[in-house]
Every structure is written in structure tokens, then in C-alpha cells.
Amino acid sequence: WRPARACRVVGRRMKAKNIEGSMVGECLLLGGVLVVDKSGKIIYSYQEKTGTPAPIDAVEEALARLD
């Protein structure tokens, strides 16, 4: 894992989408997505990879299973 390269990748994605903001330290902070049903069971999880968009189709599929 190369932090400087990861920051450049994120910076290019932000620029391509005309997103402005401070990049100080933010490119190293990772997030994710959890879809949890009413009983508290995790039915979907995704751990962010720097510079890679979340798989929206998979998240929507998991949300559809909640009904």
C-alpha cells in the first residue's frame, strides 16, 4: 500500500468530478458500508479501498433484500 499514490488517485477522481475540498489527511481515511436488517444481522458489508468507488449495485441489492 502506497499512501502518496492513493492520495493522487483520490485527487484525480475529485478533480474529474469537479469536487472541491481540502485533501489534508482525508485521502488516508477509509470508510465503508454496512447494511443491517431489523434483527441487527449484517447482510452486506463493504470496506472502502482508497480511490475505488463503492459498488453501488451490490449495496442496492442488499437494500432490496431488506423488504
Side-chain angles (χ1 to χ4, degrees):
W1 187 67
R2 296 184 172 134
R5 182 179 182 280
C7 289
R8 285 192 301 273
V9 169
V10 171
R12 283 193 297 267
R13 284 185 59 221
M14 288 179 65
K15 187 174 183 177
K17 294 181 178 193
N18 292 322
I19 298 172
E20 296 180 13
S22 168
M23 286 295 292
V24 177
E26 293 174 8
C27 67
L28 301 178
L29 180 64
L30 299 178
V33 177
L34 290 176
V35 178
V36 183
D37 69 12
K38 289 180 184 179
S39 70
K41 179 182 174 190
I42 297 172
I43 62 169
Y44 178 80
S45 68
Y46 170 76
Q47 185 175 359
E48 180 183 14
K49 296 166 189 72
T50 302
T52 304
I56 301 301
D57 293 341
V59 174
E60 288 176 341
E61 263 182 45
L63 291 172
R65 291 196 319 254
L66 290 176
D67 294 333

